[in-house]
Amino acid sequence: MRSYRGMSPLTTATVAVVDRMRVPVEEMSEEQRHEARAATYPTKPPFSWITGVVDPAVGITFGTAPARDGYEIPLRIYRPRAIRDAQTDVPVIVWFHGGGWVVGNVVNYDPICTQLAAEVGAVVVSVDYRLAPEHPSPTAVHDAVDATTWIAAQSDVLRADAHRMAVCGDSAGGHLAAVVAQVVHGSGADWIRHQALIYPATDLTMQSPSIDEHANAPILTKASIIAFRDLYAAGQDLTDPQLSPLFGDLVGLPPALIQTADLDPIRDDGIRYAAALRSAGVDVRHTNYLRVPHGFASFPGACAAGGQHRWELVNELRVHLT
C-alpha cells in the first residue's frame, strides 16, 4: 500500500492519479516498456497546469552526436528565439532525462528545458541516450559522456559558448550528470562549470536508509528501484563509480546543486552525495524539499515546492554560467 502521508492535499491527489495510471516497472512486459517510453504528456490545460507549459519563446530543433560505437545519439536542442543567430556568448546546459535508465523520453521534458533556456538565457541540449535492458550499463553513461564531449566542441554549430557548460538531470538523469562531471574532470577538461542534480541516484548498492524508510512511497518504491537497477546493471560491480558516483573521485569537481525530495526512497542518495562532495572540497548547495515525493520536478504545478525548486535551479545555473 502506498503511503501519501505528509503531502499537501493537491500533491496527494495528483500523485494518487499518477500512481493509478502507471504500471510499476517490475510488472512491465517488454511491450509495456516500449509504450511507456513513447508516451508523451498533453501540452495544453488542464494537464499543463500540473506539468508546466512549453515556453513558445524557445525554439526546438534536433541533431545527433556520434557515439563511440558508431551510433548516432539523438539530441533535442532548445534555443531562446530572442537570442540572435550571431550571438555566441550564451552558455550551454546539457540535460539528461529520468526514468531509471529504462523508460522516459526527451519530449516530456520540454517544459523544464524550455524554461531553463528562456530564464537562464542558454542553449539547452537534451540527450536521448539509449535505454536498458536492450542497452545495459555502461551504454547510457557512454552515450552521455560522448554526447557531452561532442557538444563541447560545437560552439560554432550551437552559436554558443559550449565551454561554459552545466550538466543537469533528474533521478537516473541526475546520476548520469554526476558521472559525466566525474569523467570529464578526470580527463583534464574544465569546461563543465556546474552540475545540477535533481533527486539523483548515486549509490546502486542501496545503502541509503531512506530506501527502507520510504519503501512504499508513491511514484518510486524500493521494489521499483531494485527492478530498475537489475534491468540496467545486473551482475555488474555496483561500487563502480560509473554505477555509483558516490564512490568516485570527487576532488576538484565543479560546483553542485543537489535537490532532494523528503518523501523519496533515494532522498539519502542525494544527501550523502552532497556531504561527500563537501568533504572533497566541492562547493555544494543542497536543498531537501519537504512534503514532496520522488518526481516532483515533473509536476511543479501540483506542489508548493514546484515554484521554489525551479527558481533555485534557474538561479544557481545563472550564477555559475553567466
Side-chain angles (χ1 to χ4, degrees):
M1 179 180 291
R2 299 286 185 267
S3 172
Y4 300 96
R5 205 160 156 194
M7 284 186 265
S8 68
L10 178 57
T11 306
T12 299
T14 301
V15 170
V17 170
V18 172
D19 261 346
R20 284 196 296 270
M21 292 174 59
R22 73 184 184 91
V23 178
V25 65
E26 63 271 22
E27 299 175 11
M28 282 185 179
S29 64
E30 181 180 356
E31 181 180 1
Q32 287 172 315
R33 283 199 302 270
H34 286 285
E35 289 174 353
R37 293 170 186 172
T40 56
Y41 307 143
T43 58
K44 296 180 179 180
F47 204 91
S48 61
W49 295 341
I50 302 298
T51 60
V53 298
V54 178
D55 193 328
V58 175
I60 303 175
T61 56
F62 311 94
T64 61
R68 64 192 68 187
D69 61 1
Y71 176 72
E72 290 292 324
I73 308 162
L75 306 175
R76 194 168 178 88
I77 303 167
Y78 307 82
R79 185 181 184 85
R81 301 184 196 278
I83 296 176
R84 295 179 303 174
D85 289 351
Q87 189 171 341
T88 59
D89 62 350
V90 298
V92 174
I93 299 169
V94 181
W95 181 270
F96 304 103
H97 69 78
W101 312 278
V102 173
V103 292
N105 62 62
V106 292
V107 176
N108 285 334
Y109 286 80
D110 281 355
I112 192 169
C113 287
T114 57
Q115 181 177 2
L116 292 180
E119 296 190 14
V120 178
V123 173
V124 177
V125 183
S126 185
V127 179
D128 194 4
Y129 57 90
R130 284 171 283 183
L131 299 173
E134 295 86 350
H135 303 283
S137 172
T139 303
V141 164
H142 287 173
D143 283 358
V145 170
D146 293 348
T148 305
T149 303
W150 183 84
I151 291 163
Q154 304 306 312
S155 287
D156 290 345
V157 174
L158 294 172
R159 304 189 305 277
D161 182 0
H163 278 196
R164 191 155 44 98
M165 177 186 290
V167 288
C168 309
D170 68 317
S171 194
H175 164 275
L176 292 174
V179 173
V180 168
Q182 290 187 19
V183 173
V184 169
H185 178 263
S187 74
D190 63 356
W191 28 264
I192 295 180
R193 306 290 180 85
H194 190 254
Q195 50 181 325
L197 316 178
I198 304 172
Y199 33 80
T202 66
D203 178 10
L204 268 62
T205 69
M206 296 180 61
Q207 297 304 302
S208 289
S210 55
I211 292 177
D212 287 323
E213 180 186 352
H214 297 299
N216 295 310
I219 306 297
L220 183 67
T221 64
K222 181 177 181 179
S224 290
I225 293 170
I226 293 170
F228 280 129
R229 184 185 69 174
D230 290 349
L231 288 166
Y232 178 60
Q236 300 187 35
D237 177 7
L238 299 177
T239 64
D240 184 329
Q242 292 197 10
L243 289 172
S244 297
L246 181 66
F247 304 125
D249 182 1
L250 310 183
V251 175
L253 290 180
L257 167 67
I258 298 179
Q259 296 179 322
T260 52
D262 198 49
L263 305 180
D264 182 358
I266 62 168
R267 176 197 65 206
D268 292 348
D269 273 32
I271 292 173
R272 294 165 65 211
Y273 198 59
L277 287 170
R278 285 196 191 97
S279 294
V282 178
D283 180 19
V284 181
R285 177 185 177 104
H286 168 236
T287 303
N288 182 53
Y289 283 93
L290 302 179
R291 304 182 71 189
V292 291
H294 187 86
F296 76 90
S298 293
F299 42 89
C303 55
Q308 180 67 23
H309 133 72
R310 292 293 174 89
W311 178 89
E312 181 183 46
L313 178 60
V314 166
N315 189 63
E316 285 296 295
L317 289 168
R318 280 178 180 163
V319 166
H320 291 281
L321 294 179
T322 63

